[in-house]
């Protein structure tokens, strides 16, 4: 072997040794700093209790709205936060009006009915039903888990059906046609996706005009409506606010429809701020949403300011956000009725890194992490998989979340139960 070949071989050997040593160092750091959440058939969340501390707001994300595994894990975590850490409010990614009114009528329904009258279809799964049974059971106690939504969209027909009854006394035609008129929300969205500007504007205008008309009837007849329909002041405010948010959420020209996602997040943040200040002042709140909504800073090439960005700016260290991912298995895409495989094949994915520790459901708190040779990847871009965000994404873990949870396998939700 000549000298050049020897030097090249030696350099390669040294480089390989350093790389392998560094990989072992990173893995050792992760093994020492992750906690195993899975405990037999259940979970042990004691590590989260220490990490969350005295924070007022805990935001629970998820990389897909189509995982029964996530629904079960998060349901158990919500119960833990309520029972062991004094959290008093669950704010769900569901309609503000639908959820508040359904919870206000909880005495007349089962846990399953509460679920179906409040959340979007993708959450109406068996794996989530236990949470709603729990909310129902806790309601008459001295320590209820108050349940509310914050979305600007309708997640069920509960609010609309209430409005129909109210409006029948003031505008029978509007009452009878309310469901059809409000469905213009979905129709406008479909026309925008198909680049049909004429029909987009037509149905956008129907939706906004209907929302505003219904709100005016409420405001102009407040005392009579509250008395006849036995609405307290907060319930009435929620209905009025829901209608105002409906109109605001579609206040976009055809050329601006791409801004819809950002507008929704900013309005959802406004709803949460209002709930925290006026409805649940001084109460500790759990937020349930997608990773993309609860993140405290952007993914790579982020073009929008998410709900969590606004909440982090207002509440600073009182806001603690957890990103949830899956290493393998499937996600169910509710709008296409397709099952999407989740596969992580290399260590550039955060799911792969955490599962490499040998833990089934590792939890990693990154809120206090200090950059070192062992954890430098936390401060650089890594890959992850988020179904609703288009698949493979890139982000800086320490910048986007305060903590990460990875499930070894995701199973599809079970519906029709």
């Amino acid at each position: 072997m000549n000298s050049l070949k020897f030097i090249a071989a030696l350099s390669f050997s040294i480089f390989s040794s350093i790389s392998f040593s560094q990989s072992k160092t990173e893995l050792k750091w992760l093994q020492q700093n992750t906690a195993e959440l899975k405990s037999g058939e259940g979970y042990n969340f004691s590590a989260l209790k220490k990490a969350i501390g005295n924070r007022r707001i805990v935001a629970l994300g998820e990389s897909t709205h189509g995982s029964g595994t996530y629904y079960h894990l998060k349901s158990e975590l919500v119960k833990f936060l309520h029972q062991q850490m004094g959290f008093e409010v669950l704010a769900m990614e569901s309609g503000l009006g639908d959820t508040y009114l359904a919870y206000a009528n909880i005495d007349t329904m089962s846990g399953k009915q509460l679920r179906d009258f409040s959340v979007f279809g993708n959450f109406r799964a068996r794996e989530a039903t236990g949470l709603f049974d729990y909310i129902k059971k806790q309601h008459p106690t001295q320590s209820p888990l108050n349940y509310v939504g914050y979305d600007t969209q309708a997640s069920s027909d509960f609010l609309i059906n209430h409005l129909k009854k109210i409006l029948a006394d003031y505008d029978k035609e509007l009452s009878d046609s309310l469901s059809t008129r409000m469905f213009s929300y979905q129709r406008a969205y479909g026309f925008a996706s198909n680049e049909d500007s004429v029909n987009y504007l037509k149905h956008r205008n129907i939706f906004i005009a209907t929302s505003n008309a219904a709100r005016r009837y409420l405001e102009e007849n407040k005392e009579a409506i509250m008395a006849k329909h036995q609405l307290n002041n907060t319930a009435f405010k929620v209905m009025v606010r829901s209608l105002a948010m409906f109109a605001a959420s579609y206040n976009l020209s055809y050329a601006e429809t791409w801004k819809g996602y950002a507008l929704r997040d900013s309005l959802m943040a406004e709803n949460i701020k209002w709930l925290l200040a006026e409805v649940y002042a001084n109460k500790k709140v759990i937020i349930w949403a997608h990773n993309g909504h609860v993140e405290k800073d952007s993914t790579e090439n982020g073009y929008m300011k998410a709900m969590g960005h606004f909440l982090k700016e207002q509440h600073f260290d009182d806001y603690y956000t957890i990103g949830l991912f899956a290493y393998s298995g499937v996600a169910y895409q509710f709008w296409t009725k397709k099952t999407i495989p989740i596969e992580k094949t290399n260590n550039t994915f955060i799911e792969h890194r955490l599962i490499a520790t040998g833990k089934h459901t590792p939890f990693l708190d990154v809120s206090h992490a200090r950059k070192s040779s062992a954890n430098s990847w936390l401060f650089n871009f890594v890959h992850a998989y988020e179904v609703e965000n288009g698949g493979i994404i890139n982000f800086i873990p320490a910048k986007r979340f305060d903590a990460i949870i990875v499930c070894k396998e995701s199973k599809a939700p079970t519906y029709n139960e």
Side-chain angles (χ1 to χ4, degrees), residues 267-307:
L267 294 176
M268 289 196 300
E270 289 300 316
N271 276 341
I272 290 179
K273 289 177 183 178
W274 178 74
L275 290 166
L276 289 171
E278 295 197 24
V279 184
Y280 304 111
N282 302 316
K283 293 188 182 296
K284 298 173 72 173
V285 177
I286 306 161
I287 297 173
W288 181 313
H290 194 278
N291 284 348
H293 294 312
V294 302
E295 65 177 41
K296 62 180 181 177
D297 212 326
S298 301
T299 53
E300 185 183 22
N301 300 321
Y303 66 90
M304 61 173 274
K305 192 170 182 177
M307 178 182 77

mmCIF file of all heavy atoms in Angstrom, residues 267-307:
data_model
loop_
_atom_site.group_PDB
_atom_site.id
_atom_site.type_symbol
_atom_site.label_atom_id
_atom_site.label_comp_id
_atom_site.label_asym_id
_atom_site.label_seq_id
_atom_site.Cartn_x
_atom_site.Cartn_y
_atom_site.Cartn_z
ATOM 1 N N LEU A 267 -57.560 32.635 14.634
ATOM 2 C CA LEU A 267 -58.873 32.760 15.278
ATOM 3 C C LEU A 267 -59.039 31.737 16.408
ATOM 4 O O LEU A 267 -59.659 32.038 17.440
ATOM 5 C CB LEU A 267 -59.980 32.598 14.244
ATOM 6 C CG LEU A 267 -60.063 33.689 13.169
ATOM 7 C CD1 LEU A 267 -61.137 33.355 12.135
ATOM 8 C CD2 LEU A 267 -60.333 35.055 13.789
ATOM 9 N N MET A 268 -58.504 30.524 16.225
ATOM 10 C CA MET A 268 -58.560 29.538 17.304
ATOM 11 C C MET A 268 -57.766 30.036 18.511
ATOM 12 O O MET A 268 -58.183 29.849 19.658
ATOM 13 C CB MET A 268 -58.031 28.183 16.837
ATOM 14 C CG MET A 268 -58.950 27.467 15.851
ATOM 15 S SD MET A 268 -58.595 25.696 15.633
ATOM 16 C CE MET A 268 -56.909 25.736 15.019
ATOM 17 N N ALA A 269 -56.641 30.676 18.252
ATOM 18 C CA ALA A 269 -55.859 31.257 19.343
ATOM 19 C C ALA A 269 -56.658 32.332 20.066
ATOM 20 O O ALA A 269 -56.629 32.425 21.302
ATOM 21 C CB ALA A 269 -54.556 31.836 18.808
ATOM 22 N N GLU A 270 -57.399 33.141 19.311
ATOM 23 C CA GLU A 270 -58.245 34.168 19.929
ATOM 24 C C GLU A 270 -59.326 33.528 20.789
ATOM 25 O O GLU A 270 -59.639 34.032 21.883
ATOM 26 C CB GLU A 270 -58.880 35.044 18.846
ATOM 27 C CG GLU A 270 -57.908 35.979 18.149
ATOM 28 C CD GLU A 270 -57.256 36.953 19.117
ATOM 29 O OE1 GLU A 270 -57.979 37.508 19.975
ATOM 30 O OE2 GLU A 270 -56.037 37.152 19.036
ATOM 31 N N ASN A 271 -59.907 32.426 20.322
ATOM 32 C CA ASN A 271 -60.926 31.737 21.119
ATOM 33 C C ASN A 271 -60.341 31.209 22.424
ATOM 34 O O ASN A 271 -60.963 31.321 23.489
ATOM 35 C CB ASN A 271 -61.535 30.585 20.318
ATOM 36 C CG ASN A 271 -62.652 31.034 19.396
ATOM 37 O OD1 ASN A 271 -63.227 32.104 19.565
ATOM 38 N ND2 ASN A 271 -62.962 30.218 18.403
ATOM 39 N N ILE A 272 -59.152 30.618 22.355
ATOM 40 C CA ILE A 272 -58.534 30.090 23.571
ATOM 41 C C ILE A 272 -58.191 31.220 24.535
ATOM 42 O O ILE A 272 -58.410 31.113 25.750
ATOM 43 C CB ILE A 272 -57.286 29.248 23.231
ATOM 44 C CG1 ILE A 272 -57.712 27.946 22.537
ATOM 45 C CG2 ILE A 272 -56.493 28.926 24.492
ATOM 46 C CD1 ILE A 272 -56.569 27.056 22.132
ATOM 47 N N LYS A 273 -57.672 32.318 24.006
ATOM 48 C CA LYS A 273 -57.357 33.462 24.864
ATOM 49 C C LYS A 273 -58.615 33.953 25.572
ATOM 50 O O LYS A 273 -58.585 34.288 26.765
ATOM 51 C CB LYS A 273 -56.742 34.589 24.027
ATOM 52 C CG LYS A 273 -55.329 34.303 23.527
ATOM 53 C CD LYS A 273 -54.828 35.445 22.659
ATOM 54 C CE LYS A 273 -53.454 35.143 22.088
ATOM 55 N NZ LYS A 273 -52.969 36.253 21.198
ATOM 56 N N TRP A 274 -59.732 34.016 24.847
ATOM 57 C CA TRP A 274 -60.993 34.455 25.432
ATOM 58 C C TRP A 274 -61.471 33.482 26.507
ATOM 59 O O TRP A 274 -61.890 33.896 27.602
ATOM 60 C CB TRP A 274 -62.050 34.582 24.332
ATOM 61 C CG TRP A 274 -63.401 34.985 24.821
ATOM 62 C CD1 TRP A 274 -63.786 36.226 25.252
ATOM 63 C CD2 TRP A 274 -64.548 34.128 24.950
ATOM 64 N NE1 TRP A 274 -65.118 36.203 25.629
ATOM 65 C CE2 TRP A 274 -65.613 34.934 25.458
ATOM 66 C CE3 TRP A 274 -64.796 32.794 24.666
ATOM 67 C CZ2 TRP A 274 -66.885 34.424 25.690
ATOM 68 C CZ3 TRP A 274 -66.068 32.275 24.907
ATOM 69 C CH2 TRP A 274 -67.088 33.089 25.412
ATOM 70 N N LEU A 275 -61.384 32.194 26.229
ATOM 71 C CA LEU A 275 -61.799 31.190 27.201
ATOM 72 C C LEU A 275 -60.944 31.252 28.467
ATOM 73 O O LEU A 275 -61.468 31.177 29.588
ATOM 74 C CB LEU A 275 -61.703 29.791 26.581
ATOM 75 C CG LEU A 275 -62.727 29.454 25.494
ATOM 76 C CD1 LEU A 275 -62.318 28.193 24.738
ATOM 77 C CD2 LEU A 275 -64.126 29.285 26.092
ATOM 78 N N LEU A 276 -59.636 31.413 28.284
ATOM 79 C CA LEU A 276 -58.738 31.468 29.427
ATOM 80 C C LEU A 276 -58.975 32.698 30.284
ATOM 81 O O LEU A 276 -58.836 32.661 31.512
ATOM 82 C CB LEU A 276 -57.283 31.450 28.948
ATOM 83 C CG LEU A 276 -56.765 30.138 28.361
ATOM 84 C CD1 LEU A 276 -55.409 30.328 27.735
ATOM 85 C CD2 LEU A 276 -56.697 29.069 29.442
ATOM 86 N N ALA A 277 -59.333 33.800 29.643
ATOM 87 C CA ALA A 277 -59.502 35.060 30.368
ATOM 88 C C ALA A 277 -60.896 35.229 30.964
ATOM 89 O O ALA A 277 -61.040 35.703 32.103
ATOM 90 C CB ALA A 277 -59.197 36.232 29.437
ATOM 91 N N GLU A 278 -61.945 34.827 30.223
ATOM 92 C CA GLU A 278 -63.306 35.157 30.638
ATOM 93 C C GLU A 278 -64.124 33.979 31.156
ATOM 94 O O GLU A 278 -65.015 34.173 31.989
ATOM 95 C CB GLU A 278 -64.060 35.812 29.471
ATOM 96 C CG GLU A 278 -63.499 37.160 29.057
ATOM 97 C CD GLU A 278 -64.479 37.956 28.218
ATOM 98 O OE1 GLU A 278 -65.701 37.706 28.323
ATOM 99 O OE2 GLU A 278 -64.018 38.810 27.448
ATOM 100 N N VAL A 279 -63.860 32.787 30.665
ATOM 101 C CA VAL A 279 -64.689 31.644 31.054
ATOM 102 C C VAL A 279 -63.996 30.775 32.096
ATOM 103 O O VAL A 279 -64.626 30.332 33.062
ATOM 104 C CB VAL A 279 -65.075 30.800 29.821
ATOM 105 C CG1 VAL A 279 -66.012 29.662 30.217
ATOM 106 C CG2 VAL A 279 -65.731 31.679 28.761
ATOM 107 N N TYR A 280 -62.704 30.544 31.920
ATOM 108 C CA TYR A 280 -61.962 29.672 32.824
ATOM 109 C C TYR A 280 -60.755 30.397 33.413
ATOM 110 O O TYR A 280 -59.637 29.877 33.428
ATOM 111 C CB TYR A 280 -61.520 28.405 32.085
ATOM 112 C CG TYR A 280 -62.661 27.655 31.454
ATOM 113 C CD1 TYR A 280 -62.813 27.586 30.075
ATOM 114 C CD2 TYR A 280 -63.622 27.025 32.251
ATOM 115 C CE1 TYR A 280 -63.882 26.897 29.505
ATOM 116 C CE2 TYR A 280 -64.691 26.348 31.695
ATOM 117 C CZ TYR A 280 -64.814 26.285 30.318
ATOM 118 O OH TYR A 280 -65.872 25.609 29.762
ATOM 119 N N ALA A 281 -60.990 31.589 33.901
ATOM 120 C CA ALA A 281 -59.905 32.392 34.486
ATOM 121 C C ALA A 281 -59.254 31.638 35.643
ATOM 122 O O ALA A 281 -59.938 31.072 36.490
ATOM 123 C CB ALA A 281 -60.450 33.733 34.971
ATOM 124 N N ASN A 282 -57.919 31.620 35.616
ATOM 125 C CA ASN A 282 -57.103 31.013 36.678
ATOM 126 C C ASN A 282 -57.188 29.487 36.739
ATOM 127 O O ASN A 282 -56.647 28.874 37.662
ATOM 128 C CB ASN A 282 -57.475 31.590 38.053
ATOM 129 C CG ASN A 282 -57.320 33.091 38.104
ATOM 130 O OD1 ASN A 282 -56.325 33.636 37.623
ATOM 131 N ND2 ASN A 282 -58.307 33.782 38.667
ATOM 132 N N LYS A 283 -57.863 28.873 35.778
ATOM 133 C CA LYS A 283 -57.916 27.414 35.744
ATOM 134 C C LYS A 283 -56.810 26.853 34.857
ATOM 135 O O LYS A 283 -56.391 27.495 33.898
ATOM 136 C CB LYS A 283 -59.285 26.930 35.250
ATOM 137 C CG LYS A 283 -60.445 27.236 36.202
ATOM 138 C CD LYS A 283 -61.721 26.574 35.748
ATOM 139 C CE LYS A 283 -62.886 26.928 36.668
ATOM 140 N NZ LYS A 283 -62.690 26.407 38.033
ATOM 141 N N LYS A 284 -56.359 25.651 35.183
ATOM 142 C CA LYS A 284 -55.327 24.981 34.398
ATOM 143 C C LYS A 284 -55.987 24.239 33.233
ATOM 144 O O LYS A 284 -56.978 23.523 33.430
ATOM 145 C CB LYS A 284 -54.529 24.026 35.275
ATOM 146 C CG LYS A 284 -53.780 24.733 36.401
ATOM 147 C CD LYS A 284 -53.142 23.763 37.366
ATOM 148 C CE LYS A 284 -51.946 23.068 36.766
ATOM 149 N NZ LYS A 284 -51.220 22.237 37.776
ATOM 150 N N VAL A 285 -55.425 24.404 32.049
ATOM 151 C CA VAL A 285 -56.103 23.968 30.827
ATOM 152 C C VAL A 285 -55.248 22.993 30.012
ATOM 153 O O VAL A 285 -54.043 23.201 29.833
ATOM 154 C CB VAL A 285 -56.463 25.194 29.956
ATOM 155 C CG1 VAL A 285 -57.112 24.752 28.645
ATOM 156 C CG2 VAL A 285 -57.388 26.135 30.730
ATOM 157 N N ILE A 286 -55.898 21.937 29.517
ATOM 158 C CA ILE A 286 -55.287 20.990 28.577
ATOM 159 C C ILE A 286 -55.835 21.306 27.189
ATOM 160 O O ILE A 286 -57.048 21.426 27.012
ATOM 161 C CB ILE A 286 -55.666 19.541 28.930
ATOM 162 C CG1 ILE A 286 -55.315 19.221 30.381
ATOM 163 C CG2 ILE A 286 -54.989 18.555 27.974
ATOM 164 C CD1 ILE A 286 -56.064 18.002 30.937
ATOM 165 N N ILE A 287 -54.956 21.435 26.214
ATOM 166 C CA ILE A 287 -55.370 21.673 24.826
ATOM 167 C C ILE A 287 -55.074 20.421 24.012
ATOM 168 O O ILE A 287 -53.952 19.910 24.023
ATOM 169 C CB ILE A 287 -54.639 22.890 24.231
ATOM 170 C CG1 ILE A 287 -55.006 24.156 25.001
ATOM 171 C CG2 ILE A 287 -54.975 23.050 22.737
ATOM 172 C CD1 ILE A 287 -54.196 25.372 24.587
ATOM 173 N N TRP A 288 -56.067 19.936 23.296
ATOM 174 C CA TRP A 288 -55.924 18.755 22.426
ATOM 175 C C TRP A 288 -56.008 19.227 20.986
ATOM 176 O O TRP A 288 -56.994 19.821 20.586
ATOM 177 C CB TRP A 288 -57.034 17.765 22.742
ATOM 178 C CG TRP A 288 -57.038 16.475 21.978
ATOM 179 C CD1 TRP A 288 -56.890 16.296 20.632
ATOM 180 C CD2 TRP A 288 -57.244 15.155 22.515
ATOM 181 N NE1 TRP A 288 -56.978 14.972 20.297
ATOM 182 C CE2 TRP A 288 -57.199 14.251 21.435
ATOM 183 C CE3 TRP A 288 -57.479 14.667 23.804
ATOM 184 C CZ2 TRP A 288 -57.375 12.875 21.608
ATOM 185 C CZ3 TRP A 288 -57.647 13.294 23.969
ATOM 186 C CH2 TRP A 288 -57.590 12.407 22.888
ATOM 187 N N ALA A 289 -54.973 18.941 20.191
ATOM 188 C CA ALA A 289 -54.952 19.406 18.796
ATOM 189 C C ALA A 289 -53.887 18.649 18.013
ATOM 190 O O ALA A 289 -53.195 17.780 18.542
ATOM 191 C CB ALA A 289 -54.681 20.907 18.736
ATOM 192 N N HIS A 290 -53.750 19.006 16.755
ATOM 193 C CA HIS A 290 -52.690 18.463 15.902
ATOM 194 C C HIS A 290 -51.356 19.108 16.275
ATOM 195 O O HIS A 290 -51.312 20.236 16.783
ATOM 196 C CB HIS A 290 -53.018 18.760 14.434
ATOM 197 C CG HIS A 290 -52.200 17.992 13.452
ATOM 198 N ND1 HIS A 290 -50.930 18.385 13.073
ATOM 199 C CD2 HIS A 290 -52.455 16.845 12.771
ATOM 200 C CE1 HIS A 290 -50.457 17.520 12.187
ATOM 201 N NE2 HIS A 290 -51.356 16.566 11.994
ATOM 202 N N ASN A 291 -50.264 18.389 16.013
ATOM 203 C CA ASN A 291 -48.939 18.962 16.237
ATOM 204 C C ASN A 291 -48.792 20.335 15.587
ATOM 205 O O ASN A 291 -48.190 21.251 16.152
ATOM 206 C CB ASN A 291 -47.852 18.049 15.646
ATOM 207 C CG ASN A 291 -47.582 16.814 16.482
ATOM 208 O OD1 ASN A 291 -48.021 16.710 17.619
ATOM 209 N ND2 ASN A 291 -46.868 15.858 15.909
ATOM 210 N N GLY A 292 -49.329 20.452 14.367
ATOM 211 C CA GLY A 292 -49.175 21.696 13.620
ATOM 212 C C GLY A 292 -49.871 22.880 14.255
ATOM 213 O O GLY A 292 -49.511 24.026 13.991
ATOM 214 N N HIS A 293 -50.874 22.624 15.105
ATOM 215 C CA HIS A 293 -51.571 23.715 15.791
ATOM 216 C C HIS A 293 -50.894 24.096 17.099
ATOM 217 O O HIS A 293 -50.888 25.265 17.470
ATOM 218 C CB HIS A 293 -53.017 23.331 16.086
ATOM 219 C CG HIS A 293 -53.871 23.137 14.870
ATOM 220 N ND1 HIS A 293 -53.911 24.050 13.832
ATOM 221 C CD2 HIS A 293 -54.725 22.135 14.524
ATOM 222 C CE1 HIS A 293 -54.752 23.619 12.913
ATOM 223 N NE2 HIS A 293 -55.249 22.463 13.300
ATOM 224 N N VAL A 294 -50.334 23.118 17.821
ATOM 225 C CA VAL A 294 -49.810 23.406 19.159
ATOM 226 C C VAL A 294 -48.331 23.746 19.177
ATOM 227 O O VAL A 294 -47.806 24.169 20.214
ATOM 228 C CB VAL A 294 -50.068 22.230 20.128
ATOM 229 C CG1 VAL A 294 -51.554 21.936 20.222
ATOM 230 C CG2 VAL A 294 -49.283 20.981 19.728
ATOM 231 N N GLU A 295 -47.634 23.588 18.074
ATOM 232 C CA GLU A 295 -46.201 23.911 18.045
ATOM 233 C C GLU A 295 -45.970 25.341 18.516
ATOM 234 O O GLU A 295 -46.777 26.232 18.264
ATOM 235 C CB GLU A 295 -45.655 23.733 16.629
ATOM 236 C CG GLU A 295 -46.253 24.708 15.617
ATOM 237 C CD GLU A 295 -45.654 24.579 14.233
ATOM 238 O OE1 GLU A 295 -45.416 23.447 13.779
ATOM 239 O OE2 GLU A 295 -45.426 25.622 13.603
ATOM 240 N N LYS A 296 -44.833 25.559 19.196
ATOM 241 C CA LYS A 296 -44.546 26.904 19.692
ATOM 242 C C LYS A 296 -43.695 27.714 18.724
ATOM 243 O O LYS A 296 -43.518 28.920 18.901
ATOM 244 C CB LYS A 296 -43.849 26.831 21.046
ATOM 245 C CG LYS A 296 -42.494 26.132 21.030
ATOM 246 C CD LYS A 296 -41.882 26.099 22.423
ATOM 247 C CE LYS A 296 -40.519 25.419 22.409
ATOM 248 N NZ LYS A 296 -39.884 25.446 23.747
ATOM 249 N N ASP A 297 -43.161 27.049 17.696
ATOM 250 C CA ASP A 297 -42.431 27.725 16.627
ATOM 251 C C ASP A 297 -42.528 26.880 15.375
ATOM 252 O O ASP A 297 -43.011 25.758 15.404
ATOM 253 C CB ASP A 297 -40.969 27.952 17.021
ATOM 254 C CG ASP A 297 -40.396 29.218 16.411
ATOM 255 O OD1 ASP A 297 -40.792 29.550 15.272
ATOM 256 O OD2 ASP A 297 -39.573 29.879 17.060
ATOM 257 N N SER A 298 -42.055 27.421 14.258
ATOM 258 C CA SER A 298 -42.367 26.854 12.949
ATOM 259 C C SER A 298 -41.574 25.619 12.582
ATOM 260 O O SER A 298 -40.471 25.394 13.077
ATOM 261 C CB SER A 298 -42.130 27.911 11.859
ATOM 262 O OG SER A 298 -42.930 29.034 12.080
ATOM 263 N N THR A 299 -42.147 24.836 11.655
ATOM 264 C CA THR A 299 -41.389 23.826 10.940
ATOM 265 C C THR A 299 -40.562 24.540 9.877
ATOM 266 O O THR A 299 -40.685 25.737 9.673
ATOM 267 C CB THR A 299 -42.328 22.820 10.253
ATOM 268 O OG1 THR A 299 -43.262 23.553 9.452
ATOM 269 C CG2 THR A 299 -43.089 22.003 11.271
ATOM 270 N N GLU A 300 -39.718 23.809 9.197
ATOM 271 C CA GLU A 300 -38.894 24.412 8.145
ATOM 272 C C GLU A 300 -39.782 25.000 7.051
ATOM 273 O O GLU A 300 -40.800 24.422 6.677
ATOM 274 C CB GLU A 300 -37.970 23.357 7.530
ATOM 275 C CG GLU A 300 -37.007 23.948 6.503
ATOM 276 C CD GLU A 300 -36.136 22.890 5.853
ATOM 277 O OE1 GLU A 300 -36.534 21.718 5.873
ATOM 278 O OE2 GLU A 300 -35.072 23.243 5.342
ATOM 279 N N ASN A 301 -39.399 26.171 6.587
ATOM 280 C CA ASN A 301 -40.144 26.870 5.526
ATOM 281 C C ASN A 301 -41.584 27.156 5.930
ATOM 282 O O ASN A 301 -42.487 27.194 5.098
ATOM 283 C CB ASN A 301 -40.135 26.060 4.216
ATOM 284 C CG ASN A 301 -38.724 25.824 3.711
ATOM 285 O OD1 ASN A 301 -37.887 26.714 3.798
ATOM 286 N ND2 ASN A 301 -38.461 24.636 3.200
ATOM 287 N N GLY A 302 -41.816 27.335 7.242
ATOM 288 C CA GLY A 302 -43.159 27.626 7.715
ATOM 289 C C GLY A 302 -43.675 28.920 7.112
ATOM 290 O O GLY A 302 -42.998 29.942 7.182
ATOM 291 N N TYR A 303 -44.867 28.867 6.523
ATOM 292 C CA TYR A 303 -45.409 30.047 5.869
ATOM 293 C C TYR A 303 -46.494 30.696 6.716
ATOM 294 O O TYR A 303 -47.075 31.699 6.318
ATOM 295 C CB TYR A 303 -45.998 29.678 4.500
ATOM 296 C CG TYR A 303 -47.216 28.783 4.573
ATOM 297 C CD1 TYR A 303 -48.497 29.330 4.642
ATOM 298 C CD2 TYR A 303 -47.086 27.407 4.599
ATOM 299 C CE1 TYR A 303 -49.614 28.516 4.735
ATOM 300 C CE2 TYR A 303 -48.205 26.595 4.686
ATOM 301 C CZ TYR A 303 -49.461 27.149 4.748
ATOM 302 O OH TYR A 303 -50.563 26.346 4.851
ATOM 303 N N MET A 304 -46.774 30.134 7.876
ATOM 304 C CA MET A 304 -47.875 30.650 8.674
ATOM 305 C C MET A 304 -47.519 30.651 10.147
ATOM 306 O O MET A 304 -46.602 29.958 10.594
ATOM 307 C CB MET A 304 -49.131 29.815 8.461
ATOM 308 C CG MET A 304 -48.980 28.365 8.852
ATOM 309 S SD MET A 304 -50.536 27.435 8.776
ATOM 310 C CE MET A 304 -51.188 27.794 10.409
ATOM 311 N N LYS A 305 -48.272 31.435 10.883
ATOM 312 C CA LYS A 305 -48.135 31.493 12.329
ATOM 313 C C LYS A 305 -49.232 30.626 12.920
ATOM 314 O O LYS A 305 -50.414 30.902 12.730
ATOM 315 C CB LYS A 305 -48.270 32.944 12.791
ATOM 316 C CG LYS A 305 -47.869 33.196 14.226
ATOM 317 C CD LYS A 305 -47.809 34.695 14.482
ATOM 318 C CE LYS A 305 -47.370 34.974 15.908
ATOM 319 N NZ LYS A 305 -47.244 36.431 16.158
ATOM 320 N N ALA A 306 -48.855 29.570 13.612
ATOM 321 C CA ALA A 306 -49.822 28.611 14.138
ATOM 322 C C ALA A 306 -50.408 29.082 15.462
ATOM 323 O O ALA A 306 -49.894 30.006 16.106
ATOM 324 C CB ALA A 306 -49.162 27.250 14.303
ATOM 325 N N MET A 307 -51.479 28.422 15.886
ATOM 326 C CA MET A 307 -52.154 28.744 17.132
ATOM 327 C C MET A 307 -51.187 28.762 18.311
ATOM 328 O O MET A 307 -51.201 29.674 19.151
ATOM 329 C CB MET A 307 -53.262 27.718 17.372
ATOM 330 C CG MET A 307 -54.037 27.887 18.642
ATOM 331 S SD MET A 307 -55.276 26.566 18.848
ATOM 332 C CE MET A 307 -54.221 25.189 19.366
#
